[in-house]
Every structure is written in structure tokens, then in C-alpha cells.
Amino acid sequence: MAGAVRESAAFDLVAAQQGLDAQPFSRLVQARITEFGGGAATLEIDIREELLQQHGFVHGGVLSYAADNTLTFAAATALGPAIVTGGFSIQYLRPARGRTLRARAEVVQAGRRQAVCRCDLTMIDEAGEERVCAVAQGTALPLNAPADGQG
Amino acid sequence: MAGAVRESAAFDLVAAQQGLDAQPFSRLVQARITEFGGGAATLEIDIREELLQQHGFVHGGVLSYAADNTLTFAAATALGPAIVTGGFSIQYLRPARGRTLRARAEVVQAGRRQAVCRCDLTMIDEAGEERVCAVAQGTALPLNAPADGQG
Amino acid sequence: MAGAVRESAAFDLVAAQQGLDAQPFSRLVQARITEFGGGAATLEIDIREELLQQHGFVHGGVLSYAADNTLTFAAATALGPAIVTGGFSIQYLRPARGRTLRARAEVVQAGRRQAVCRCDLTMIDEAGEERVCAVAQGTALPLNAPADGQG
Amino acid sequence: MAGAVRESAAFDLVAAQQGLDAQPFSRLVQARITEFGGGAATLEIDIREELLQQHGFVHGGVLSYAADNTLTFAAATALGPAIVTGGFSIQYLRPARGRTLRARAEVVQAGRRQAVCRCDLTMIDEAGEERVCAVAQGTALPLNAPADGQG
């Protein structure tokens, strides 16, 4: 829905990575942003032992962190950086294992009051094969909402 | 809904903390479990700098990790430890700041096919005052589902 | 969270029922509002054959209608009538059967940008016993958002 | 994800419409099924006055009914007809107006314990133009779950 997307050339991939690096928790998780713009954002996390749960799969909390952050970065391509995450819903599809977690979110619709985004979470294995392991949808709200919005 | 809850005395708070400690990501976050049993579970995380986002509030990913894990531990009090998280929905209410994050989840209903739980996420400040900052609801599914369940 | 609730005495139960009656679809379903105020709302629907699904239980679409509307009416007790439903999440707990469907929603938090509400959906049987059959949580957004809200 | 979909030739579009017609509430709403198979289902509803809310838009409860039912029909193409809806999350994007509501759902993943589906809800206007007005994602659970499933 590119027509609904108001992009700022200044707020590009480099700035997005700086925004991500300004989050201490994203540095703890060691997330990187690999796509930012045009109503979409992609976050990647290389999987290491401390991101796992007790059975050796990626912890659901890592997946939900990635969904939360990627949905919000995608929304920022439409609404600008002054936004807050409203909330999201995530469904886990299968145990997540592999080399790299990739979360890709797209803006479905961005209005004056909120942006609604969807996110696919995939695991990439050693052979480079990608397999979806969770899906999410959520909203972000502008910090400075319109005075008399119609939506 | 205590009647729907099948508790195992052996899987108690100590075992629950061991289960949590068996999750490398929960050790990274430094979560502890302070209640486990009777259809409810409580998780606490002392807030330190590396759990924050860029504005000094607790990162949404920490809140969603806590919701995910607490919902599943609450479900485990009803379904036993052999479960997987099905998914959840979380809504953020206000910026989360304070000394300690507390997530408390309760089983709403546990059947043969899934348990549905709700979770309140609160921040406790230096004075000990508690304030809700997010709410979630989600499901967990038994690994060994019934052969001919009716729900 | 009564402190966050801005009630209007003029927008009371009678006005709420008029608001409900102004919705043709609510007249088709034959919903009535039995509580409105103080951050909460209750909707009731007497069950008749045309509200069922193929196995004789109340159709999930009737439950989701009730969740949608009750969440929004509860939000209206805090935000006033000029709101739109943002969305919601619903989990079905068991087949819904009985004489009357009751949906009761409460505001968890109401800010300048959105209100977050939770809803319990119960079925009341011939003996007057009430049993929860679904739970929901959702948001409503003010039509006229603040010019420079902080949440 | 056609590989995950187990289709039954006998449970085709005609049978799906019969299944829909067996739901009294779907007859009340006057829904029809226009696609069923291969991991997807489409439901359509011609808009008439009694499906509206107080401002002349399609009532959110009609949209949530359509999401609920279409997600479950899509899941049935993968899991067979013996399923129950687990729950879903819906986000409203804009006021829904037009001639016909179309809900199209696709299976994202179908395992032994649940199927996860996504749904787009669009309005088709008099000129035949289609515009998304809501998105949903949800789950359906098999009535007869596996005895020792691994997901």
C-alpha cells in the first residue's frame, strides 16, 4: 500500500540502524536492521545459545521481541519515528531453529490515528533455506496525533 | 477456575524456577518465578539498563517476553510441563518504568486441546507502588493432545 | 481504574441503549445494554435459533459481535461516544449454549490516544447459572485525538 | 503453503456452501462462499441496511463474523470439517462501506494441533473497486487431535 506511505528520505536504513542501536535491549539481543523504507522493515538476529529455550529452540520471547520491534519500524516508515507500539498478536507455527531469525513487517494501512502492520517471522538454516515459524499483526500509534482526525 | 486445574505437587515453585533457569534466554533477561500453582504464575524481572529502549523505558520486547513466558507457566499449572505456547495478544497501556517488572498470569479455562490465560504486566516503583503497563491473553497447547478430545 | 474514567452523566444507560438501537445490525441481533458507566458495559442477547451454528451452539460470529460492541461501549464510558473500534482479540473457551449471552467489558486503561478494555463472554442457562465461554481484549480510539498527546 | 494442506475432494465448494447454509446465523447474515480449497476460502456478503451501524458503515460485528467464519473455512480445507475455531485477532483499518464485503482467508501453516490462518476483509464498491478495511489472523483446532502429536 505504497500510496499510504509517507517516507522521509532522511530516516533511512542507516538512521534506522542507529535507532535500533539506541535501544539497549536490541544491543543485548544483537539485532540488526536490513531493510527500512517503502512501508516495510526487516530485522535479523543471528541465533546463539543465549537466545534459546530449554529444548534448544529459539525462545518465544525472542520471536515476540522481533515481532514487536519490526512491526514498529515498519510503521515508522509510514508515520515517522515519533510513534509508540500499540500492541500486537503473535501465533507460533512450529519450533524455531536455524542460523538466523528474520522478521519482516509490512504496513497494511497507515492513517492519522494508527498504522496496522503484519509480520512474518522466518528461520534461515545453514543451507540458506527459509521457513516461517510465526506470524504477527499489530499497531503503532503516532505520539502526536491529529487534532481532528478522520482516520 | 480452580476446578479445571490439574495440579502436580511435584511440579512446584522450585521445579518451575529450575524450568525457567533451563531457558538460556530467561537467564540472559534474569527472570525469576515467584508464584506457580493453582492456575496462576508470576514472573519478575529487576530492571537494569540493558532491558530498556531508547527513551529509558522498559523495551516492549521485554514485556512481550514476560507475557509469553508467564502465560505458558500459568498454563503449565493446569496442563503440566509438556506444552507449547500457541500465541498471544498484548496491548501496551503506558510507558513502563520502575524498579521491577511483574507479570502475573491466570488460567481462564483449561481443556483437553488448549489452555487460555490472561496476564497483567505491572511496574513496581522504588516506593513499592504497582501500576499496570500492559495486558495480554494467550493460549498454550499440550504436546500430547487427546486422541478424541471434546475440548 | 476509575480514576482514568471520564464519565458523562448525560451519556447514561438510556442513551447507551438508544445508541445501540441506532445500529441496524444490533437490532437484527436483538442486543440490549444492561450496564453502562464507570468504565464498564454489559450487553445481553437472548439466544434464538437464528443465532446458532450447525451444531446448535451460539455462532462464534455472535460472540465476536458481542465482544466488539461491548468493548467499544465500555471504552465510550471513558472516552465519550466519538470513538472507533481499533480491533480486538477473542479466544473461544468452550461451545456456547444456554438461554442468554452476556458480554461484560471493563476499561483497563484509558489515555488520550486509546482505551484498552477486556471482555468476558458468558452463557446463562435456564437455571440462571453463568459460565464463561470466551474472553476478549481490544482497543477503541477517539475520533478527535489530542493535538500533542502523551498517551 | 500448499504442501501442508490436505484437501478432500469430497469437501468442495458445494459442500462448503451446504456447511455454511447449515449455520442459521450465516443464513441470517446471508453469507455465501465463493472459494473453498487449496488452503483458502472466500466468503461474500452483499451489504444491506440491517448490516450497518449508526453511521451507515458496515457494523464491526459483521466484519468479525466474516473473519471468524472465513478463517475457519480456510482451516477446514487443511484439517477437514471436524474443527473448532480457537480464536482470532482483528484490526479495523477504515470505515467499511460499499456494495459487497469480501473476506478471504489463507492457511499459513497447518499442523496436527492447530491451523493458523490470515484473513483480508475488503469492501467492493459499485464500480467494482476493492479496498481492504480490516485484517485478521486466527487459529482452528481439530476436534480429534493426535494422540501423541509433535506439532
Side-chain angles (χ1 to χ4, degrees):
Chain A
M1 228 169 275
V5 173
R6 306 185 298 269
E7 271 190 84
S8 160
F11 195 65
D12 62 0
L13 185 59
V14 172
Q17 183 64 50
Q18 289 171 343
L20 189 69
D21 290 340
Q23 301 177 344
F25 188 61
S26 291
R27 295 199 306 270
L28 181 67
V29 171
Q30 296 178 24
R32 61 179 176 271
I33 193 154
T34 60
E35 178 194 15
F36 182 83
T42 300
L43 206 83
E44 293 185 359
I45 302 168
D46 289 329
I47 300 307
R48 55 193 201 278
E49 204 270 344
E50 63 189 356
L51 302 183
L52 305 181
Q53 37 87 296
Q54 68 275 24
H55 300 301
F57 303 116
V58 180
H59 197 288
V62 177
L63 300 173
S64 64
Y65 153 80
D68 172 291
N69 233 14
T70 312
L71 288 163
T72 307
F73 271 90
T77 71
L79 299 179
I83 56 177
V84 291
T85 315
F88 68 95
S89 182
I90 186 167
Q91 297 296 323
Y92 301 113
L93 305 182
R94 56 169 61 89
R97 70 178 101 193
R99 183 173 47 82
T100 301
L101 168 64
R102 176 179 291 159
R104 185 173 195 278
E106 287 189 356
V107 176
V108 182
Q109 198 267 348
R112 301 174 70 187
R113 262 189 302 275
Q114 67 175 6
V116 175
C117 304
R118 273 174 169 164
C119 183
D120 285 330
L121 296 116
T122 58
M123 290 298 303
I124 306 170
D125 69 14
E126 298 298 334
E129 285 207 56
E130 200 169 346
R131 200 170 148 100
V132 64
C133 57
V135 290
Q137 71 178 32
T139 63
L141 312 174
L143 273 172
N144 299 305
D148 56 347
Q150 289 299 322
Chain B
M1 229 167 274
V5 173
R6 304 184 300 269
E7 270 189 84
S8 160
F11 195 66
D12 62 358
L13 185 59
V14 172
Q17 184 64 51
Q18 289 171 344
L20 191 68
D21 291 340
Q23 299 178 344
F25 189 60
S26 292
R27 294 200 305 270
L28 181 68
V29 171
Q30 296 178 23
R32 61 178 176 272
I33 192 155
T34 61
E35 177 196 16
F36 182 83
T42 299
L43 206 84
E44 294 185 0
I45 302 167
D46 290 330
I47 300 307
R48 56 193 201 279
E49 204 269 344
E50 63 189 356
L51 302 183
L52 305 181
Q53 38 87 294
Q54 68 276 23
H55 300 301
F57 303 116
V58 180
H59 196 289
V62 177
L63 300 172
S64 65
Y65 153 80
D68 172 291
N69 234 13
T70 312
L71 289 164
T72 306
F73 271 89
T77 72
L79 299 179
I83 55 176
V84 292
T85 315
F88 67 95
S89 181
I90 186 166
Q91 297 296 323
Y92 301 112
L93 306 181
R94 55 169 62 86
R97 71 177 103 193
R99 182 173 47 81
T100 301
L101 167 63
R102 176 179 290 159
R104 185 175 194 277
E106 286 189 356
V107 175
V108 182
Q109 199 267 348
R112 300 173 71 187
R113 262 187 302 274
Q114 68 174 7
V116 174
C117 303
R118 274 174 168 163
C119 184
D120 285 331
L121 296 116
T122 58
M123 290 299 303
I124 306 170
D125 69 14
E126 298 298 334
E129 284 208 56
E130 199 168 346
R131 203 170 146 98
V132 63
C133 58
V135 290
Q137 72 179 31
T139 63
L141 311 175
L143 272 171
N144 299 305
D148 55 347
Q150 288 300 321
Chain C
M1 228 170 274
V5 173
R6 306 184 298 268
E7 271 188 84
S8 160
F11 194 67
D12 61 0
L13 184 60
V14 172
Q17 183 65 50
Q18 290 171 342
L20 190 68
D21 290 340
Q23 301 177 344
F25 189 60
S26 292
R27 294 199 306 271
L28 182 67
V29 171
Q30 297 178 23
R32 61 179 177 271
I33 193 155
T34 61
E35 179 195 14
F36 182 83
T42 299
L43 205 83
E44 293 185 0
I45 301 167
D46 290 329
I47 300 306
R48 55 193 200 279
E49 204 270 345
E50 63 190 356
L51 303 182
L52 305 181
Q53 38 86 294
Q54 68 275 24
H55 300 301
F57 303 115
V58 180
H59 197 290
V62 177
L63 300 173
S64 65
Y65 154 79
D68 171 292
N69 234 13
T70 313
L71 290 163
T72 306
F73 271 90
T77 71
L79 299 178
I83 55 177
V84 291
T85 315
F88 67 95
S89 181
I90 186 167
Q91 297 296 323
Y92 301 113
L93 306 181
R94 56 169 60 87
R97 72 178 101 193
R99 182 174 46 82
T100 301
L101 167 65
R102 177 179 289 159
R104 186 174 194 277
E106 287 189 356
V107 175
V108 182
Q109 200 266 348
R112 300 173 70 187
R113 260 188 303 276
Q114 68 175 7
V116 175
C117 303
R118 273 174 169 162
C119 184
D120 285 330
L121 295 117
T122 58
M123 290 299 303
I124 306 170
D125 68 15
E126 298 298 334
E129 284 207 57
E130 199 169 346
R131 200 171 148 99
V132 63
C133 57
V135 291
Q137 70 178 31
T139 64
L141 312 174
L143 272 171
N144 300 304
D148 55 346
Q150 289 300 320
Chain D
M1 229 168 274
V5 173
R6 304 185 298 271
E7 270 189 86
S8 160
F11 195 66
D12 62 359
L13 184 58
V14 172
Q17 183 65 49
Q18 288 171 344
L20 190 69
D21 291 340
Q23 301 178 343
F25 189 60
S26 292
R27 294 198 306 270
L28 182 66
V29 171
Q30 296 178 23
R32 62 179 176 271
I33 193 155
T34 60
E35 178 194 17
F36 181 83
T42 299
L43 206 83
E44 293 185 0
I45 302 167
D46 289 330
I47 300 306
R48 56 193 200 278
E49 204 270 344
E50 63 189 356
L51 302 182
L52 305 181
Q53 37 88 294
Q54 68 275 24
H55 300 300
F57 303 115
V58 180
H59 196 288
V62 177
L63 300 172
S64 64
Y65 154 79
D68 172 291
N69 234 14
T70 312
L71 289 163
T72 306
F73 270 90
T77 71
L79 299 179
I83 55 177
V84 291
T85 315
F88 67 94
S89 181
I90 186 166
Q91 297 296 324
Y92 301 113
L93 306 181
R94 56 168 63 85
R97 73 177 99 192
R99 182 173 46 82
T100 300
L101 167 63
R102 176 179 290 160
R104 186 174 194 278
E106 287 189 355
V107 175
V108 182
Q109 198 268 346
R112 300 174 71 188
R113 262 189 302 275
Q114 68 174 6
V116 175
C117 304
R118 274 174 168 162
C119 184
D120 285 332
L121 296 116
T122 58
M123 290 300 301
I124 306 170
D125 68 14
E126 298 298 334
E129 284 208 56
E130 199 169 346
R131 200 171 148 98
V132 63
C133 57
V135 290
Q137 72 179 31
T139 63
L141 311 175
L143 272 172
N144 299 305
D148 55 348
Q150 289 300 323

